[in-house]
C-alpha cells in the first residue's frame, strides 16, 4: 500500500434492505495513524456502512476497500489485520476476563501478551470475573482489549465509550489515541460528540443515509466562531446588540451566544456592557463552535423534515 | 496452539462450566436410566428394564447433547453476538463449526463413559453387542440432531429457541422409543414416531447393542435421511448474526 493511499476507502456505497435504502451513495476515507469519527443520528446509516467495511454485510452498489482488500470477498485475510469492537456483547457471558483475552490473543496469534493486555485496559483486578458480572464500562474495556489482541492495522470501534464512567473514558481515549499513533487506522462510530471531539482527527457526519460533512475538526468548524457565555436570565438583548453592534442570541435560560470571532475589542465591549448593567459574566467560551453545534447545524434541516 | 485447538478448548470449557447443560446431558439420562431400571413401571416388555432402557438412554444422551445443548448454547451465542465477533477473527466459520462438533463429540464420550458403566452396574449384559455399528448410528444421530439444533438456533431468537428446543426434546423423548416402546403408542402416533430421528436412533442402538431392535432396517434408512437432510437445512437457515 502506498504511503498516501487511505486504509479505508468507501466509494459511492449503497446498502438496501428490501425497498429501504439505508446507505445512499456514501463516500469517505480513513487514513492510517488517524482516528476517524463517524457521527450521525440513529438510522443514519453508520452501522450499515461499518458492517460493510468489516465484511459482515454486502454492498448493494458502490465499493469498499480496507487495507487494499475487498471485505466481502477477502474477509478472512482482512480479519488477520482488523480489530472489531461491537456495540454490545460479543463475548461468552460465562467466560472470564483473562481467559477471553487469552482466547483472542491465541486466535489472532500476533504475539500480544494477554496478561499485559488485561492490565493495560485496567481489568487486572477483574481478571477472574465472568463477562456477565462486569459493569458496562468494564465490558467496553474488555471489548477494546479484544481489538488490541489483533495488533490491528485497522480498527472499527462501535460506541466504545457508551456506558463508561469518567475514569474508564480516560483509559479508552488514551488507548484509542495510542492505537492511532502506532499507525492503525481507527474508525470510531459514536453518538457521543464530546468524545469524538476529544479523540478524532477527522469527522464524517452521516444523515439519512448520506455523508453531509467530512473533514478535520478545524475544517468543519471553520467560519463558525462564536462567543458563548452565561449571565442573568433577563438580559435586554436588543440593548446589548445596539451597544456592541452584533446580534446576541439566547440559547438557554441563562446561556447566550454571539456569532462572531472572539476579537479582544468585542470581548471588552461585551464585558463592559454587562458590567454597566450589573450582570455577571460566567463560563465564557470563545472560539470555534463545539462539534455538537456543528452537528446540530448540519443535521437540523433533515431533523425538521422528519 | 492452533486456532482450532484454541476454539475447541474454549467450547469444552464453557460447556463443562454450564450447570444447566450438564444437568441436561448427564443428570437427566443417568436419572432416567437408574430410576426406571430399578422401578419397573415402564412397559418395556423385558424381564430386565435396563436391557430396553440402556440403548434408549444412550440415544437420549446423543439427542440432549447434539440437539438441545448445542442448539441452546449456539442460540444464545448468536443472541449475544459471540458468533459475529468470532466471525471477525482469523478463526473463520468453518473452524468454528468444526470446534463445535468436536465439543459435542467430547461431551458424548463423557456421557458414554458414565452411562455404559452405570448400565452395567444396573445389570445390563448385552449379548454380543456390535459397538462399531453402534458408533456409526451415534455419528448419524449426532449429525441429524445437530442439524435440527442448529437450524433452530440459527433462526430463532435466543429465548424462543430455548423454549422450542426444550419442548422438542420432551416430544422426541416421549415419542422416540427411548423409554416407552413404540408398541405402546397409539397406532397413528406409532407410524409418526418411527419416522422421528429419536425413534430411529433408539431402535438402531437397541438393535446393534442389545439385539432388541424393532425394525432396524427401516430405522437405519430413516436415520440416514435425517442425518443428511438436517445439516443441509441448517446450512441453508443458519445466520451467524
Amino acid at each position: 500500500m502506498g504511503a498516501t493511499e487511505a486504509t479505508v476507502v468507501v466509494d459511492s456505497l449503497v446498502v438496501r434492505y428490501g425497498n429501504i435504502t439505508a446507505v445512499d451513495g456514501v463516500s469517505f476515507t480513513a487514513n492510517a495513524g488517524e482516528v476517524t469519527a463517524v457521527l450521525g443520528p440513529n438510522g443514519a446509516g453508520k452501522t450499515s456502512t461499518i458492517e460493510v467495511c468489516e465484511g459482515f454485510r454486502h454492498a448493494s452498489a458502490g465499493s469498499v476497500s480496507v487495507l487494499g482488500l475487498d471485505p466481502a470477498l477477502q474477509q478472512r485475510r482482512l480479519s488477520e489485520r482488523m480489530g472489531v469492537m461491537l456495540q454490545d456483547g460479543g463475548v461468552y457471558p460465562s467466560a472470564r476476563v483473562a481467559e477471553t483475552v487469552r482466547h483472542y490473543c491465541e486466535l489472532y496469534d500476533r504475539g500480544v501478551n494477554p496478561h499485559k493486555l488485561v492490565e493495560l485496559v485496567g481489568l487486572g483486578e477483574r481478571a477472574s470475573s465472568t463477562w456477565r458480572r462486569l459493569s458496562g464500562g468494564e465490558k467496553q474495556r474488555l471489548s477494546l482489549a479484544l481489538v488490541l489482541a489483533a495488533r490491528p492495522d485497522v480498527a472499527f470501534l462501535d460506541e466504545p465509550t457508551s456506558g463508561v464512567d469518567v475514569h474508564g473514558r480516560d483509559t479508552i481515549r488514551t488507548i484509542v489515541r495510542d492505537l492511532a499513533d502506532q499507525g492503525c487506522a481507527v474508525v470510531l462510530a459514536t453518538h457521543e460528540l464530546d468524545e469524538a471531539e476529544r479523540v478524532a482527527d477527522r469527522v464524517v457526519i452521516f444523515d439519512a443515509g448520506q455523508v453531509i460533512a467530512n473533514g478535520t475538526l478545524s475544517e468543519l468548524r471553520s467560519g463558525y466562531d462564536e462567543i458563548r457565555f452565561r449571565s442573568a436570565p433577563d438580559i435586554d438583548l436588543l440593548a446589548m446588540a445596539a451597544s456592541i453592534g452584533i446580534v446576541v442570541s439566547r440559547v438557554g435560560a441563562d446561556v447566550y451566544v454571539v456569532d462572531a470571532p472572539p476579537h479582544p475589542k468585542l470581548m471588552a465591549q461585551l464585558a463592559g456592557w454587562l458590567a454597566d448593567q450589573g450582570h455577571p459574566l460566567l463560563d465564557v467560551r470563545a472560539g470555534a463552535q463545539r462539534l455538537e453545534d456543528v452537528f446540530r447545524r448540519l443535521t437540523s434541516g433533515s431533523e425538521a423534515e422528519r | 496452539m492452533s486456532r482450532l485447538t484454541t476454539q475447541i478448548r474454549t467450547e469444552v470449557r464453557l460447556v463443562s462450566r454450564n450447570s444447566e447443560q450438564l444437568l441436561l446431558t448427564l443428570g437427566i439420562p443417568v436419572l432416567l436410566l437408574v430410576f426406571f431400571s430399578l422401578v419397573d413401571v415402564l412397559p418395556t416388555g423385558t424381564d430386565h428394564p435396563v436391557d430396553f432402557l440402556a440403548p434408549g438412554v444412550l440415544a437420549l444422551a446423543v439427542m440432549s447433547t447434539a440437539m438441545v445443548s448445542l442448539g441452546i448454547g449456539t442460540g444464545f451465542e448468536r443472541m449475544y453476538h459471540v458468533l459475529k465477533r468470532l466471525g471477525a477473527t482469523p478463526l473463520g466459520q468453518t473452524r468454528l463449526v468444526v470446534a463445535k462438533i468436536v465439543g459435542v463429540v467430547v461431551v458424548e464420550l463423557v456421557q458414554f463413559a458414565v452411562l455404559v458403566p452405570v448400565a452395567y452396574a444396573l445389570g445390563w449384559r448385552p449379548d454380543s453387542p456390535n459397538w462399531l455399528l453402534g458408533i456409526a448410528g451415534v455419528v448419524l444421530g449426532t449429525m441429524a440432531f445437530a442439524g435440527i439444533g442448529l437450524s433452530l438456533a440459527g433462526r430463532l431468537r435466543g429465548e424462543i429457541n430455548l423454549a422450542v428446543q426444550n419442548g422438542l426434546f420432551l416430544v422426541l423423548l416421549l415419542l422416540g422409543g427411548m423409554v416407552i416402546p413404540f408398541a405402546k403408542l397409539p397406532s397413528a402416533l406409532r407410524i409418526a414416531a418411527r419416522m422421528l430421528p429419536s425413534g430411529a436412533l433408539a431402535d438402531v442402538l437397541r438393535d446393534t447393542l442389545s439385539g432388541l431392535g424393532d425394525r432396524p432396517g427401516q430405522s437405519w434408512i430413516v436415520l440416514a435421511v435425517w442425518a443428511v437432510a438436517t445439516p443441509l437445512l441448517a446450512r441453508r437457515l443458519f445466520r451467524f448474526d
Side-chain angles (χ1 to χ4, degrees), chain A residues 23-286:
Chain A
V23 179
D24 189 8
V26 159
S27 298
F28 68 92
T29 60
N31 301 320
E34 289 185 352
V35 178
T36 301
V38 176
L39 309 174
N42 289 331
K46 307 186 298 288
T47 300
S48 294
T49 300
I50 286 184
E51 287 189 341
V52 173
C53 294
E54 293 165 336
F56 288 133
R57 197 173 293 289
H58 287 268
S60 305
S63 67
V64 169
S65 166
V66 179
L67 295 166
L69 302 170
D70 180 337
L73 301 175
Q74 298 170 291
Q75 196 205 24
R76 187 69 177 280
R77 280 183 64 196
L78 179 59
S79 68
E80 304 268 357
R81 303 164 63 193
M82 173 177 71
V84 169
M85 180 176 180
L86 303 179
Q87 188 171 348
D88 54 74
V91 177
Y92 297 100
S94 60
R96 302 186 196 285
V97 168
E99 67 191 22
T100 301
V101 173
R102 190 175 68 237
H103 180 207
Y104 274 75
C105 285
E106 288 173 357
L107 288 180
Y108 283 107
D109 195 21
R110 301 269 280 176
V112 177
N113 182 318
H115 179 71
K116 287 182 181 171
L117 200 46
V118 170
E119 294 293 334
L120 177 69
V121 296
L123 291 176
E125 292 181 3
R126 303 286 277 154
S128 59
S129 300
T130 57
W131 165 267
R132 63 163 65 94
R133 294 192 183 281
L134 299 180
S135 69
E138 289 169 337
K139 286 177 177 173
Q140 293 297 81
R141 280 185 276 154
L142 175 56
S143 292
L144 191 56
L146 304 186
V147 172
L148 301 179
R151 208 189 287 276
D153 295 320
V154 61
F156 296 97
L157 314 180
D158 200 352
E159 303 287 354
T161 52
S162 175
V164 181
D165 63 20
V166 173
H167 296 301
R169 281 168 187 255
D170 288 343
T171 303
I172 289 175
R173 212 177 290 133
T174 302
I175 291 171
V176 169
R177 191 65 256 169
D178 286 349
L179 197 56
D181 290 345
Q182 289 163 18
C184 178
V186 180
V187 179
L188 181 153
T190 183
H191 289 89
E192 300 188 31
L193 302 175
D194 55 336
E195 282 301 318
E197 190 161 30
R198 285 168 187 241
V199 77
D201 298 297
R202 301 183 64 82
V203 173
V204 182
I205 299 181
F206 276 60
D207 194 33
Q210 298 182 323
V211 170
I212 57 170
N214 180 3
T216 63
L217 280 171
S218 58
E219 284 170 351
L220 292 183
R221 290 159 162 169
S222 172
Y224 292 97
D225 287 343
E226 66 177 21
I227 303 165
R228 179 179 290 255
F229 63 95
R230 282 180 51 233
S231 186
D234 55 349
I235 285 179
D236 183 344
L237 295 179
L238 288 177
M240 187 179 188
S243 171
I244 66 175
I246 291 179
V247 173
V248 180
S249 308
R250 182 184 281 114
V251 296
D254 61 351
V255 181
Y256 302 87
V257 168
V258 182
D259 285 325
H263 193 280
K265 187 176 175 185
L266 177 60
M267 297 290 283
Q269 284 179 311
L270 177 65
W273 187 86
L274 287 169
D276 290 346
Q277 305 301 313
H279 294 314
L281 178 57
L282 306 168
D283 299 340
V284 181
R285 185 182 180 283

Side-chain angles (χ1 to χ4, degrees), chain A residues 47 51 54 56-57 75-76 79-80 82-86 88-96 99-100 102-104 106-109 130-131 143 146-147, chain B residues 1-11 13-14 17-18 76-77 79-96 100 241:
Chain A
T47 300
E51 287 189 341
E54 293 165 336
F56 288 133
R57 197 173 293 289
Q75 196 205 24
R76 187 69 177 280
S79 68
E80 304 268 357
M82 173 177 71
V84 169
M85 180 176 180
L86 303 179
D88 54 74
V91 177
Y92 297 100
S94 60
R96 302 186 196 285
E99 67 191 22
T100 301
R102 190 175 68 237
H103 180 207
Y104 274 75
E106 288 173 357
L107 288 180
Y108 283 107
D109 195 21
T130 57
W131 165 267
S143 292
L146 304 186
V147 172
Chain B
M1 186 177 289
S2 75
R3 286 168 178 148
L4 178 60
T5 314
T6 295
Q7 189 60 31
I8 289 170
R9 192 184 61 188
T10 299
E11 296 281 345
R13 184 173 52 224
L14 291 173
R17 195 180 289 165
N18 189 322
F76 278 113
E77 286 169 15
M79 188 173 89
Y80 291 124
H81 305 300
V82 174
L83 301 181
K84 181 178 180 181
R85 182 68 189 80
L86 284 171
T89 71
L91 177 68
Q93 294 181 352
T94 304
R95 274 187 284 215
L96 177 60
K100 288 199 169 294
D241 185 24

